Amino acid sequence: MELSTLDYGFIIVFFSLVLGIGIYVSKKSGKDSSEFFLSGRTMPWWLLGLSMVATTFSTDTPNLVTDIVRTNGVSGNWVWWCFLLTGMLTVFVYAKLWRKSNVSTDLEFYEMRYGGKPASFLRKFRSVYLGALFNIITMASVTLAAIKIGGIMLGLEPWQTVVGAGLITVIFSALGGFRGVVYTDFLLFFVAMSGAIGAAYYLVNIPEVGGIDALMANENVASKLNILPEMSDKKALITLLIIPLAVQWWSSWYPGAEPGGGGYIAQRMLAAKDENHAIGATFFFNIMHYAIRPWPWILVALASIVVYPDLASISEAFPNVPADKLGHDLAYSAMLTKLPSGLLGVVLASLVAAYMSTISTQLNWGSSYIVFDFYKQQINPNATEKQMVFVGRMSTVILMVLSAALALTLESALQIFEVLLAFGAGTGVIFILRWFWWRINAWSEISAMFASLLISIILKLTPVGAYLFNPETGVLPDWTEYLFIVVVTTAIWLTFTYMTQPESKDVLRSFYKKIQPGGPGWSKVVNEAKTDNVEIKNAGEKWSVPSGITAMLLGVVLIYTIMFATGYWIYGKTTSAMVLTGVAAISGFLLIKAWNRMKDDIL
């Protein structure tokens, strides 16, 4: 595919702006570790919210959504739409708690909540486990998508895409730190949104598709349009809706949707000016992430079914694509090749923006774990601020190199999504309970982490998984695999919790006094402290979780109804769309009242 001078102009201007921002803020970002990783904790909610949205754009997300829609229809997206429940809990319950903790990374929380050698081990191990292993896998998924886009749209070899896109990203990430990431995310958000919406509008109206009405009427597309799975298809109903909404959202740790908050979402909450700005940022992110942004990608995915109905048609149109990279996720890139000059440049710039935003965030976040939770804790406790910034920049480069190498061996975004989901199955509930139940200890997390990882490896990489869950000959239905991991992992960590000693009184009382989590799960600790004439509960502090859960449920209704209404407006189902829009307005009004009762004003 040939790019015009105009297309190259868009891309060159964009690259120049991003590098310019990184260089401009590099001096201030390199001042100390707090500036490099948290921008001095001075960020406003709107900038952090835009940054969260830009980060989760990613190059692999439209590919993943396309794969899901082509394979399981629009309703297949419930496999990640279910994480809205996690997101709303983070907004109305955990954002305040994280900001109160005042930690530098969410892993520093471990030595606040737990004590002794187990807490120290947990913090150090997870700094490598999440900051390196999980982080590298996530970035490899994003880079794999970039490889496919580069191969389809520009005819680039995989190594050329990796070097070209990765080099600029790692330079500005290492120079600009967190401030550079957030500032560029502001630009990347608008570029990426413009590209996604522009591409969807144009591609739905190309002659091969024939416009929105023809798309909705196409026989290959019609069966994919349902936002909810067909009630008559029990397996689809269970795997695509019931398990995600009933179990998956609270039971699994997944990057960017961690139960109890965490990861780069926590990093942004910790960088906020105060608790209110942390709440505002995460709420804005969830509205954009679930209700609005998926629809341009879904429309392109549906249009791709008309133009490329199967893998054979994609392979025929792009014969140079290696067999190990051929998948339904390629259809998104394939459709983009039909864009006209000018718009093509904007969309390519938007894809580069999505790639750079995600990778730069992952690099800075993963590097913060390595610096604060491994290097400073394990290697050099007396490290100076200059040394910590240097290690942060070096680890940024190393993480990029390792993720790029892994990306060259992978096949599809959906494959990686399912692996990451399995690796975190059964651990999520601990990340919720540790805030509100005193009995959770470091061994709870250690046992859950290793159990989930080992069970997933056994089921995914050995004959055991095929024996148990083969769709045709397995002992158990294949849709029970995720539930199996959750149940076994939960049984293991509960056993370890009660077999080991609880955290010491000093640790529990110190945590409670700082965070004030409240609730019946801490009544034993509070009452024992009173008996010992130690006051750990603030007299004026009310338990905000009940009102937070009310706001969370209203937020879920608000965002899901906006999401459904948007879809029905697009589908031309005006009556359903109007009813849902009305429900969204009512739930929004009730949410504002509930929010006011929580006395949280983001402005």
Side-chain angles (χ1 to χ4, degrees):
M1 187 178 64
E2 294 294 326
L3 297 181
S4 69
T5 303
L6 183 60
D7 296 325
Y8 279 116
F10 277 124
I11 296 170
I12 291 170
V13 168
F14 171 74
F15 273 131
S16 301
L17 285 172
V18 168
L19 281 175
I21 292 171
I23 294 169
Y24 176 75
V25 303
S26 61
K27 185 176 181 180
K28 189 168 186 178
S29 294
K31 180 181 175 183
D32 56 43
S33 56
S34 177
E35 280 290 345
F36 190 77
F37 293 113
L38 293 171
S39 66
R41 303 183 192 270
T42 59
M43 288 290 171
W45 69 270
W46 57 271
L47 189 55
L48 290 172
L50 287 172
S51 177
M52 291 180 192
V53 181
T55 292
T56 51
F57 252 103
S58 186
T59 43
D60 64 327
T61 311
N63 287 18
L64 172 65
V65 170
T66 300
D67 201 338
I68 289 171
V69 171
R70 289 173 62 90
T71 305
N72 296 315
V74 174
S75 63
N77 285 286
W78 283 102
V79 74
W80 66 274
W81 281 343
C82 69
F83 286 122
L84 171 63
L85 281 79
T86 302
M88 286 293 96
L89 270 181
T90 298
V91 172
F92 295 112
V93 176
Y94 298 112
K96 176 190 291 186
L97 300 176
W98 276 114
R99 196 60 187 84
K100 275 186 175 182
S101 72
N102 204 38
V103 293
S104 297
T105 71
D106 56 317
L107 297 189
E108 190 179 327
F109 169 89
Y110 287 123
E111 291 186 299
M112 177 188 298
R113 175 62 177 82
Y114 311 125
K117 291 183 178 179
S120 179
F121 166 79
L122 187 57
R123 180 179 179 183
K124 293 167 188 172
F125 182 81
R126 283 185 74 83
S127 68
V128 177
Y129 181 67
L130 297 180
L133 177 62
F134 256 79
N135 200 22
I136 287 169
I137 293 173
T138 303
M139 289 192 294
S141 173
V142 177
T143 303
L144 171 65
I147 288 172
K148 292 192 173 190
I149 290 168
I152 288 287
M153 299 187 71
L154 303 174
L156 298 176
E157 294 293 326
W159 70 268
Q160 292 174 315
T161 301
V162 167
V163 172
L167 189 61
I168 293 177
T169 305
V170 78
I171 289 173
F172 103 84
S173 299
L175 287 175
F178 183 76
R179 187 179 297 274
V181 170
V182 173
Y183 283 4
T184 52
D185 278 348
F186 179 79
L187 169 66
L188 302 181
F189 169 83
F190 292 103
V191 174
M193 279 299 294
S194 299
I197 294 171
Y201 180 82
Y202 182 85
L203 293 172
V204 165
N205 289 288
I206 60 176
E208 297 99 306
V209 179
I212 192 70
D213 292 335
L215 177 64
M216 298 296 116
N218 186 280
E219 60 179 359
N220 292 330
V221 173
S223 62
K224 305 284 188 180
L225 292 176
N226 289 339
I227 302 176
L228 291 172
E230 288 286 349
M231 297 298 143
S232 58
D233 189 342
K234 291 184 179 179
K235 182 177 178 180
L237 191 64
I238 291 170
T239 57
L240 300 180
L241 189 65
I242 294 176
I243 290 178
L245 284 178
V247 180
Q248 184 178 299
W249 72 270
W250 57 261
S251 65
S252 184
W253 185 98
Y254 186 78
E258 300 87 345
Y264 54 78
I265 300 298
Q267 185 188 29
R268 277 153 178 74
M269 291 189 288
L270 293 168
K273 287 181 178 181
D274 54 37
E275 298 163 23
N276 299 325
H277 282 268
I279 292 170
T282 48
F283 186 54
F284 176 78
F285 160 67
N286 278 279
I287 291 176
M288 292 299 302
H289 183 60
Y290 293 101
I292 306 298
R293 190 179 54 185
W295 285 106
W297 298 331
I298 289 171
L299 284 173
V300 174
L302 292 171
S304 77
I305 298 173
V306 179
V307 181
Y308 304 105
D310 50 33
L311 289 180
S313 58
I314 299 176
S315 179
E316 183 181 352
F318 304 95
N320 294 328
V321 174
D324 66 336
K325 295 291 186 286
L326 185 64
H328 284 291
D329 55 345
L330 274 177
Y332 188 81
S333 306
M335 290 297 291
L336 297 185
T337 62
K338 298 183 176 295
L339 295 176
S341 176
L343 180 56
L344 176 61
V346 172
V347 170
L348 275 175
S350 76
L351 292 172
V352 173
Y355 173 82
M356 295 181 72
S357 178
T358 303
I359 292 294
S360 61
T361 289
Q362 295 288 149
L363 289 173
N364 189 266
W365 165 61
S367 180
S368 73
Y369 282 1
I370 292 170
V371 171
F372 286 116
D373 303 299
F374 185 75
Y375 172 72
K376 187 170 175 59
Q377 292 294 310
Q378 183 74 21
I379 298 174
N380 188 3
N382 299 315
T384 64
E385 292 294 331
K386 187 175 181 180
Q387 288 173 321
M388 291 170 69
V389 171
F390 174 77
V391 173
R393 285 174 167 161
M394 288 302 298
S395 58
T396 295
V397 175
I398 294 169
L399 288 172
M400 185 71 237
V401 172
L402 293 176
S403 66
L406 177 60
L408 296 172
T409 69
L410 297 175
E411 185 174 334
S412 79
L414 187 57
Q415 167 197 26
I416 302 166
F417 177 84
E418 291 171 347
V419 169
L420 288 176
L421 209 58
F423 277 10
T427 64
V429 68
I430 295 179
F431 302 128
I432 295 174
L433 291 178
R434 66 188 183 182
W435 293 95
F436 302 114
W437 186 29
W438 70 274
R439 193 58 182 84
I440 296 289
N441 62 20
W443 290 108
S444 308
E445 292 209 31
I446 292 170
S447 59
M449 178 175 58
F450 281 103
S452 178
L453 178 62
L454 291 175
I455 294 167
S456 299
I457 289 173
I458 290 170
L459 294 180
K460 295 291 184 183
L461 303 179
T462 73
V464 174
Y467 172 75
L468 289 175
F469 303 109
N470 186 287
E472 297 178 359
T473 61
V475 177
L476 299 170
D478 58 331
W479 56 264
T480 63
E481 181 179 6
Y482 179 83
L483 293 177
F484 179 85
I485 300 172
V486 170
V487 170
V488 175
T489 299
T490 302
I492 289 172
W493 74 255
L494 280 172
T495 302
F496 270 83
T497 299
Y498 283 106
M499 283 178 58
T500 54
Q501 292 294 315
E503 299 299 335
S504 69
K505 288 183 179 180
D506 289 342
V507 169
L508 294 173
R509 291 175 182 179
S510 174
F511 176 78
Y512 191 96
K513 189 172 183 178
K514 184 177 182 65
I515 304 298
Q516 297 292 304
W522 285 95
S523 58
K524 177 180 172 65
V525 175
V526 173
N527 292 335
E528 286 182 352
K530 271 187 181 179
T531 302
D532 295 340
N533 294 317
V534 177
E535 192 58 57
I536 61 174
K537 186 175 182 179
N538 294 343
E541 187 86 21
K542 293 182 179 179
W543 193 36
S544 63
V545 171
S547 57
I549 290 175
T550 300
M552 168 253 185
L553 293 174
L554 288 169
V556 167
V557 173
L558 170 66
I559 293 176
Y560 277 150
T561 50
I562 293 174
M563 182 184 79
F564 274 71
T566 302
Y568 286 137
W569 283 117
I570 292 170
Y571 289 178
K573 297 182 178 181
T574 308
T575 303
S576 298
M578 290 178 67
V579 170
L580 287 167
T581 301
V583 174
I586 294 169
S587 59
F589 173 75
L590 295 174
L591 177 59
I592 291 172
K593 294 187 69 175
W595 201 334
N596 288 335
R597 284 197 299 271
M598 293 171 64
K599 295 182 180 179
D600 283 321
D601 184 2
I602 64 173
L603 296 177

